[in-house]
Amino acid sequence: TFNKGVIPLGAGAPSLRPIEIDAVIASNSGALLSPAQEWLESVVNEVEILPPKGSVPTKQMLRISTEAKSYQQVVLHLRLYIAVPSSDHSTDDNNMVAIQLVQQCELLIQVSPHHKYNPMADFLLVTNPATTHHHVQAIRTFITDNLNMEVDEWNIGLYGGLSYTAEEGEAATESVLATYRSKTIIFMGNRFEFFNSGTRRITQLCDAQALAENCLHGTSLLFLGSLSDQNYDRLLKNILFPIPFNVASTADGVVPSKSFATKRDLVKSINQQKFIASPAFTAYKLPLKTRWYRFGRASSKAETKAAAKYLRRHLPQDRFLVSSCDSGTSAPGLVVLHGNAHQATVIATESQSLDAVGRPAAPSESAPQPGAANGLVPPSITYPINLQELFLVVASIPISKRIDVAWSDHGSNGTSGIGYSMFALKAVILSLQTDINREVQALLSRGGWPSKLPPAREKHDIPSFLRLHLPILGAVLAHPSAFTADPLPTDLVSLLKHAEASCLPQSKRQVLKSSVVPLSRRQSQLHSLVASAITALLTRKLMTKRDIRLHHHKVRKELHSNFSSEKRNVENMLVRTGSEFTGRTEHEYVESCKTASQLVPKTEYCKGDEWDSRLRAEREVMERVEREYEDARGILGRMILEA
C-alpha cells in the first residue's frame, strides 16, 4: 500500500484515518489466514501506520483446497478501504468512523501440480498459466489409459522458466528438458501472461540449443497450437541447424580431420561415421575450387550451391547447412554444418479454431464421433476431443518405441500385449507408414543424372544401405523379433506392404518415365532392393516361396495401380486413411499439422551474411529469455504460498 499524500494514515496515525485491506476467496477454492491465526474465507488486515510518500507491504497467506482441480483458476478478491476525512478525532468507541472503498482488484491464482521427476515417465507435458484443466486431463488420460505410459508435468509459470531452481551456492541451473532425453516433450502453445514480460508463447521462451541436443539424442517434440506462430519457424530452424559461431570462426575452428578435398570424400566419411560413433553436430570444410570456364577464378556462390545439391542427392535423410567464407579467415572455403536428420521428430499443430464470437470451437457431444462406429475409440476417451491431436501424441513417441509396439503381440481384446489400446495401436502403424513413405520419397526425389541409388558401405550390402538411406524401414527390418520364427503381426504385414508400394511409381509422370526412359532406374532399383529385404524377412518367418510371391502380388493388387488414381499414390492413400481415422477432412488432416521434414525438407544453402545474422538473432533471443527468467524467479521468490 502506497501513500501519495503528505500526512500519515492508519489507525495509529494522528489523523485517525484507518486503512483496511479485505481479502476474500471462495470456500471451495481455499482459505485465508487471519491475524488471529484462523483459516477463513474472508479476512480484514488493518494498516497501523502508512507514512507519507511511503509504502507498507501487506502479506497474506493462503492455502488451496484439496478439492481444487489442477489448472483451475482461483480468484482472490482484494479491496482497499480508507476512512473519510473528518474533523472529529474523538477516540470514543461509540463514534464509528465511516470508511469508503478506494480500490479493488482480482488476483488470478492457477492451481498447478508440483513437478516431481519420474524416471519411468515417457512424456513431459510443459504447461503454462493459461492452460486449461480439461485439455491437460484429456492428454494425461489418453497417455496413461491408452498408451500404458506415465507423464510428468512442468508449469513454466510455477517455476519461472524451463530450468530447475538453483540451490544455494550453485552458479548454474540444469534445464528440465535435459532430463527427458530419448522421450517425448509436449509443449502447450497457447498465449499466456508471463509475469512482467507480458504475453508470451512457449516458442518465445525455449532454448533452441537445448532442444537441438535433445532431438539429436532421440527426443521427440510436439508443439500444440504453434503452427501459425512466427516464433516457431525461427525456433525450428535453430533446432535443426544449431549454429555455434559465426561463419568465419566456424571455418577457422574446423580441425584437419574434418576438412576434405572433395565432396565425395566428405560423404564417404559421414557414412562411415554413422556406423562407428554417436550422432553429433559437426562442422566440415571443403575448399573453394577454381574453374577454367571462370577464367581460373572461384565462385563461392556457385560452389556452395553445388555442394548443397550434392549432399541432398547422396545423403537425402540428413540435413546440412552449407555456406561459404571468403573473408575474415585464414583459409577461405565452404563450411558445412551437419544438423538434425529427418529422423528427428518435431511436430507442430495449428491453434484451436474459434467460433463466430471468438470462443474455442468444440464438437457437439451429440454429434457422431469419429472412430466410435468401428470401435477404435476406447471408453476412456471422452468428448469433445480432438482425435488428430491424440494421433499426433502417438506419432511423437520415439521411433524405436513405436517399432517395438508394431512388433508386439496384438490381442483381440482391444489392447496390445504391452497395454496399448486399439486406437493407439492403429495410430502407431499409421504414423510409421507415413514416416517410411516420407523417407522413401525423399530418397527418390533427390536423384539426379545418372539416376542411380547412393552407395552403401559395400556393394549388395542391403542392411547397411537401409541403415544409411532408409533408417526407419531399416530399423523395422533389423528389430530382434525379425530374426525369430514367430509369425508376423497382421499390422506389421500391412506396414511392409505400404513400404514396398511406396517404392513403385507414384504419379503418371513416373509411370511414363519408367516405361519410356529405361535408363532411369533409381526407382526400380529401390523397389528391387526393398522387396529383397522383405523377402529375406519372410523367409526367416518360415513362409513358403508361394506365400512370399503372393505377398508381393498383393502389394500391387491392394495398394498400387499404374492406371488408377485412387491406388497410385501411397501418400494420398495414407492421407485418406488418416482423415477417416481422425474424423477430419483430408484438407484439415494435412494442413492442421506439419512435421519438421515438411517445413525444412532438405539441405539448405545459406549465405555467409545470413549465417551470421541468424546467429546474432538467436543470441539476442536467448539474452532476452534469460532476463525474463531472472525477473520471473525474482517475483516468485517474493511470494509466500502455503500449500
Side-chain angles (χ1 to χ4, degrees):
T1 308
F2 182 78
N3 182 8
K4 293 184 177 181
V6 295
I7 60 173
L9 301 174
S15 62
L16 291 179
R17 294 186 63 187
I19 297 176
E20 294 181 358
I21 301 176
D22 293 359
V24 181
I25 192 172
S27 59
N28 61 349
S29 299
L32 304 171
L33 186 63
S34 70
Q37 302 300 305
E38 296 179 337
W39 292 102
L40 305 172
E41 301 175 23
S42 175
V43 299
V44 177
N45 294 286
E46 295 184 352
V47 178
E48 184 66 19
I49 295 180
L50 182 59
K53 303 296 183 179
S55 62
V56 174
T58 301
K59 297 181 180 180
Q60 177 62 60
M61 301 187 74
L62 63 89
R63 66 181 180 187
I64 301 299
S65 171
T66 55
E67 299 179 357
K69 297 180 180 180
S70 296
Y71 301 98
Q72 174 185 336
Q73 296 286 349
V74 175
V75 182
L76 177 62
H77 301 273
L78 298 176
R79 298 183 179 89
L80 175 64
Y81 293 91
I82 186 171
V84 297
S86 174
S87 60
D88 185 3
H89 293 168
S90 173
T91 58
D92 186 0
D93 292 339
N94 295 325
N95 186 15
M96 303 297 294
V97 178
I99 60 175
Q100 64 181 0
L101 176 66
V102 295
Q103 189 176 4
Q104 62 180 342
C105 64
E106 295 181 351
L107 296 181
L108 293 179
I109 302 172
Q110 185 190 48
V111 181
S112 177
H114 182 66
H115 173 77
K116 183 177 181 181
Y117 176 67
N118 177 9
M120 301 302 295
D122 296 282
F123 288 84
L124 173 65
L125 181 60
V126 180
T127 60
N128 56 68
T131 301
T132 59
H133 169 74
H134 75 272
H135 199 175
V136 172
Q137 194 62 28
I139 295 175
R140 171 176 281 278
T141 300
F142 176 74
I143 292 173
T144 56
D145 294 357
N146 298 280
L147 300 180
N148 196 27
M149 294 180 173
E150 299 184 46
V151 55
D152 288 346
E153 295 179 33
W154 178 278
N155 191 327
I156 193 172
L158 184 63
Y159 299 101
L162 292 171
S163 300
Y164 293 105
T165 303
E167 300 294 336
E168 187 174 355
E170 290 183 351
T173 57
E174 182 186 10
S175 171
V176 66
L177 306 179
T179 58
Y180 289 87
R181 285 189 175 180
S182 302
K183 299 184 179 184
T184 301
I185 303 177
I186 303 176
F187 297 91
M188 309 299 284
N190 56 291
R191 296 179 183 273
F192 58 92
E193 294 296 322
F194 191 65
F195 300 92
N196 293 334
S197 302
T199 303
R200 289 287 183 266
R201 290 182 184 266
I202 191 63
T203 52
Q204 297 172 275
L205 299 171
C206 283
D207 182 352
Q209 181 67 40
L211 292 179
E213 290 287 345
N214 274 29
C215 287
L216 189 67
H217 293 87
T219 304
S220 298
L221 307 177
L222 175 58
F223 292 86
L224 299 178
S226 300
L227 184 58
S228 59
D229 181 9
Q230 293 182 352
N231 296 288
Y232 174 73
D233 296 335
R234 172 199 57 80
L235 179 64
L236 177 63
K237 287 198 172 184
N238 285 289
I239 291 174
L240 300 180
F241 303 114
I243 300 175
F245 307 104
N246 61 45
V247 68
S249 299
T250 303
D252 284 337
V254 176
V255 295
S257 62
K258 302 300 180 184
S259 299
F260 297 89
T262 65
K263 298 185 285 291
R264 182 177 180 180
D265 292 340
L266 171 61
V267 169
K268 182 179 179 180
S269 177
I270 292 175
N271 283 338
Q272 292 174 349
Q273 193 76 8
K274 292 181 180 181
F275 289 93
I276 60 177
S278 301
F281 298 120
T282 308
Y284 302 97
K285 192 171 181 181
L286 291 168
L288 274 173
K289 293 186 176 181
T290 59
R291 304 292 178 179
W292 65 266
Y293 48 82
R294 297 195 190 101
F295 304 101
R297 292 179 298 178
S299 171
S300 58
K301 182 177 180 180
E303 290 293 311
T304 305
K305 289 186 174 181
K309 184 177 180 180
Y310 187 90
L311 291 171
R312 290 172 197 155
R313 178 180 176 186
H314 290 83
L315 294 170
Q317 306 303 339
D318 294 86
R319 291 189 186 91
F320 300 89
L321 190 64
V322 186
S323 186
S324 61
C325 185
D326 301 326
S327 59
T329 179
S330 57
L334 304 182
V335 179
V336 180
L337 176 64
H338 195 172
N340 268 305
H342 285 281
Q343 277 184 281
T345 302
V346 185
I347 306 174
T349 70
E350 65 181 2
S351 57
Q352 192 175 9
S353 59
L354 304 178
D355 60 16
V357 294
R359 296 173 301 188
S364 171
E365 296 189 9
S366 60
Q369 305 302 339
N374 53 24
L376 285 180
V377 181
S380 60
I381 297 182
T382 57
Y383 292 95
I385 198 68
N386 186 341
L387 285 184
Q388 187 172 12
E389 187 173 284
L390 300 184
F391 166 72
L392 293 175
V393 170
V394 177
S396 65
I397 297 174
I399 292 173
S400 59
K401 295 182 181 180
R402 282 186 280 151
I403 292 175
D404 289 339
V405 174
W407 274 102
S408 65
D409 295 328
H410 306 159
S412 58
N413 59 349
T415 60
S416 68
I418 55 176
Y420 275 44
S421 69
M422 190 59 67
F423 176 89
L425 186 60
K426 296 295 183 183
V428 166
I429 299 299
L430 178 58
S431 65
L432 285 175
Q433 289 171 341
T434 303
D435 290 342
I436 292 175
N437 175 264
R438 187 268 312 157
E439 69 176 7
V440 169
Q441 298 312 313
L443 176 59
L444 293 176
S445 64
R446 303 290 181 261
W449 185 267
S451 181
K452 61 181 182 179
L453 293 175
R457 287 197 301 176
E458 297 179 6
K459 194 174 182 180
H460 306 303
D461 186 358
I462 295 179
S464 70
F465 176 89
L466 294 176
R467 183 173 177 178
L468 289 173
H469 304 298
L470 297 176
I472 301 177
L473 178 58
V476 171
L477 297 176
H479 192 272
S481 299
F483 297 92
T484 67
D486 298 332
L488 283 172
T490 304
D491 286 325
L492 190 65
V493 173
S494 174
L495 176 65
L496 297 176
K497 289 180 179 178
H498 280 79
E500 185 176 345
S502 297
C503 302
L504 296 170
Q506 303 293 297
S507 64
K508 292 180 180 179
R509 182 177 182 179
Q510 292 179 4
V511 171
L512 181 63
K513 190 175 181 180
S514 63
S515 302
V516 176
V517 187
L519 295 179
S520 179
R521 304 292 297 169
R522 179 175 248 211
Q523 197 158 42
S524 60
Q525 288 174 4
L526 181 61
H527 176 253
S528 176
L529 186 146
V530 170
S532 297
I534 295 175
T535 297
L537 169 64
L538 300 180
T539 302
R540 291 195 298 269
K541 295 300 180 181
L542 305 181
M543 291 182 64
T544 65
K545 292 183 178 181
R546 180 179 180 278
D547 291 338
I548 294 175
R549 286 196 301 270
L550 182 61
H551 171 88
H552 294 301
H553 173 72
K554 287 183 177 179
V555 172
R556 292 185 177 272
K557 182 178 180 181
E558 299 173 1
L559 298 176
H560 189 269
S561 171
N562 288 340
F563 308 102
S564 172
S565 60
E566 297 293 322
K567 293 171 61 177
R568 185 185 300 117
N569 190 295
V570 175
E571 181 180 359
N572 292 342
M573 295 171 62
L574 292 174
V575 168
R576 288 195 294 270
T577 302
S579 170
E580 296 172 359
F581 184 68
T582 59
R584 310 200 76 182
T585 66
E586 294 180 17
H587 181 77
E588 289 175 334
Y589 178 79
V590 172
E591 298 298 331
S592 62
C593 66
K594 297 291 182 182
T595 65
S597 294
Q598 291 172 301
L599 296 176
V600 186
K602 58 187 178 181
T603 289
E604 291 190 350
Y605 155 72
C606 176
K607 295 181 180 179
D609 293 342
E610 182 185 352
W611 176 298
D612 293 344
S613 65
R614 286 166 69 166
L615 176 64
R616 287 193 300 269
E618 185 59 23
R619 286 180 175 176
E620 291 173 359
V621 169
M622 289 313 304
E623 290 174 0
R624 173 188 58 79
V625 170
E626 288 299 326
R627 289 195 304 270
E628 293 182 1
Y629 279 3
E630 185 177 356
D631 178 66
R633 294 193 182 99
I635 295 174
L636 289 171
R638 296 193 295 270
M639 291 184 178
I640 300 177
L641 182 67
E642 181 174 300

